């Protein structure tokens, strides 16, 4: 799953997007080279001829931006052309593929009685925070890890100039985590995410014992993530921690909707930390 974006039941691989974009660039006479799913110099040169794509963006972001521009060109709603693969863009991409294959845009969803099957994301009930339940559900510490491709870039809290586009997490929390972050992007937008430091990443997988204890930390399974630890230090309470402020209510609601637990909200310490395990 390292190069796939997952949302609900849809899985769109980056390679698929690149091949699609290369074919469309070639259709426009822009000479992207063979549609091989690899972003080589010809593809980059072709993308640079398309107006509306920022030259400073990473190649993969340019590909997504080009697809968003194609959607716009065909009157398919995709939101702002930002090169980020949120659910709106994924949905628009599928319509665009349908259009190029059949010449028609699929009918909008109708919620009538015949078609009243609502597809909700499959929500996981996370296990209780005790070793036995955790191992039964997730396996041994440090196992069953996968990479999550982030819907927006994160920055290492200990080296803020270092941007990351993915990190390791447990495969059983991957889809839920991706839905959370996608909703965060939809709700706050890139600018607010930066302002609120929701993209300052303090770590996920780390096999270690809890501070001052003998039990394994939830990070040992790759099911806990820390954000902005500088402004949300372990022993700080809601008077001091930035994540306790009202601006973050929706951030926490999005996590809690998916069953994640904020130690800050539940216990008023370690406000940096969110985990996919329920408290006893
Ligand atoms: Zn933590």
């Amino acid at each position: 799953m390292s190069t796939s974006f997952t949302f609900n039941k849809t899985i769109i691989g980056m390679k698929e997007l690149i091949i699609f974009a290369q074919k469309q660039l070639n259709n426009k006479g822009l000479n992207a080279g063979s549609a091989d799913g690899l972003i080589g110099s010809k593809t980059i040169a072709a993308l640079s001829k398309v107006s509306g794509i920022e030259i400073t963006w990473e190649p993969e972001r340019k590909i997504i931006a080009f697809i968003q521009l194609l959607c716009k060109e065909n009157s398919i709603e995709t939101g702002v052309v930002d090169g980020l693969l949120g659910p709106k863009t994924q949905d628009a991409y599928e319509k665009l593929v349908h259009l190029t294959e059949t010449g028609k845009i699929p009918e909008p969803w109708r919620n009538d009685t015949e078609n009243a099957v609502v597809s909700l994301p499959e929500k996981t009930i996370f296990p209780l925070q005790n070793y036995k339940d955790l191992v039964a559900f997730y396996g041994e510490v440090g196992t069953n890890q996968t990479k999550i491709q982030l819907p927006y870039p994160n920055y290492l809290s200990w080296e803020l100039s270092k941007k990351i586009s993915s990190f390791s997490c447990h495969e059983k929390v991957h889809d839920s985590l991706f839905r959370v972050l996608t909703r965060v992007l939809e709700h706050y937008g890139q600018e607010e995410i930066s302002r609120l430091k929701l993209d300052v990443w303090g770590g996920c997988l780390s096999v270690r014992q809890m501070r001052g204890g003998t039990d394994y930390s939830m990070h040992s399974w790759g099911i806990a993530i820390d954000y902005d630890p500088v402004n949300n230090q372990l022993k700080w309470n809601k008077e001091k921690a930035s994540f306790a402020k009202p601006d973050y209510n929706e951030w926490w609601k999005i996590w809690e909707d998916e069953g994640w637990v904020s130690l800050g909200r539940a216990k008023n310490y370690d406000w940096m930390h969110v985990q996919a395990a329920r408290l006893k």
Side-chain angles (χ1 to χ4, degrees):
M1 256 194 283
S2 62
T3 55
S4 303
F5 295 88
T6 328
F7 190 75
N8 295 357
K9 293 187 184 67
T10 319
I11 296 173
I12 302 174
M14 195 62 220
K15 190 164 184 178
E16 175 190 331
L17 294 174
I18 297 166
I19 292 170
F20 181 82
Q22 286 170 324
K23 285 181 185 164
Q24 299 304 317
L25 286 164
N26 288 336
N27 285 348
K28 286 179 177 292
L30 293 172
N31 188 21
S34 62
D36 56 3
L38 304 168
I39 313 175
S41 54
K42 278 190 176 170
T43 303
I44 295 282
L47 286 166
S48 73
K49 292 177 199 148
V50 179
S51 64
I53 301 177
E54 296 280 336
I55 51 161
T56 54
W57 285 348
E58 308 275 310
E60 293 190 352
R61 195 166 173 190
K62 286 182 180 167
I63 292 281
I64 294 163
F66 174 61
I67 288 169
Q68 290 172 325
L69 288 165
L70 285 175
C71 290
K72 278 210 141 86
E73 214 176 280
N74 289 286
S75 307
I76 298 170
E77 178 56 43
T78 180
V80 283
V81 177
D82 56 6
L84 302 173
L85 192 63
K88 219 181 212 177
T89 300
Q90 295 183 42
D91 188 49
Y93 167 71
E94 274 165 10
K95 285 183 183 146
L96 184 64
V97 169
H98 193 269
L99 177 69
T100 55
E101 283 169 358
T102 67
K104 284 181 292 199
I105 293 173
E107 289 287 305
W109 174 259
R110 281 197 316 270
N111 193 10
D112 57 29
T113 42
E114 261 174 78
N115 280 333
V117 185
V118 181
S119 73
L120 288 172
E122 279 175 48
K123 190 172 153 180
T124 314
I125 306 296
F126 297 125
L128 282 168
Q129 182 183 330
N130 64 66
Y131 185 77
K132 194 167 140 275
D133 286 2
L134 288 164
V135 169
F137 187 80
Y138 290 119
E140 291 300 329
V141 295
T143 63
N144 305 313
Q145 301 296 304
T146 187
K147 280 242 159 137
I148 178 161
Q149 296 290 327
L150 301 168
Y152 51 89
N154 282 9
Y155 299 85
L156 302 182
S157 62
W158 60 94
E159 193 184 347
L160 285 169
S161 61
K162 183 104 172 64
K163 180 160 84 171
I164 57 166
S165 59
S166 67
F167 61 78
S168 290
C169 66
H170 196 283
E171 58 189 23
K172 281 197 172 172
V173 305
H174 172 279
D175 289 8
S176 174
L177 180 55
F178 188 77
R179 283 194 297 269
V180 166
L181 299 177
T182 303
R183 282 185 65 195
V184 167
L185 178 60
E186 295 252 297
H187 178 79
Y188 286 99
Q190 184 62 68
E191 264 181 44
E192 276 293 277
I193 286 173
S194 307
R195 186 181 72 81
L196 296 170
K197 301 191 193 303
L198 301 177
D199 54 1
V200 176
W201 185 80
C204 177
L205 174 68
S206 168
V207 180
R208 65 184 188 223
Q209 252 122 38
M210 273 196 259
R211 294 168 178 100
T214 53
D215 286 343
Y216 280 105
S217 148
M218 296 304 99
H219 290 281
S220 306
W221 283 272
I223 60 164
I225 307 142
D226 294 333
Y227 289 101
D228 193 14
V230 169
N231 296 299
N232 296 280
Q233 296 185 20
L234 184 66
K235 290 182 177 166
W236 286 9
N237 63 17
K238 60 179 186 243
E239 312 303 323
K240 273 186 100 175
S242 69
F243 279 6
K245 292 180 181 146
D247 276 355
Y248 297 89
N249 285 349
E250 193 60 25
W251 157 261
W252 290 125
K253 206 182 152 294
I254 292 168
W255 285 102
E256 287 162 1
D257 275 357
E258 282 278 345
W260 292 70
V261 174
S262 151
L263 285 185
R265 299 252 285 192
K267 300 214 156 178
N268 198 19
Y269 65 83
D270 204 0
W271 279 87
M272 73 181 91
H273 176 103
V274 63
Q275 66 180 47
R278 290 176 290 139
L279 299 174
K280 281 166 255 191

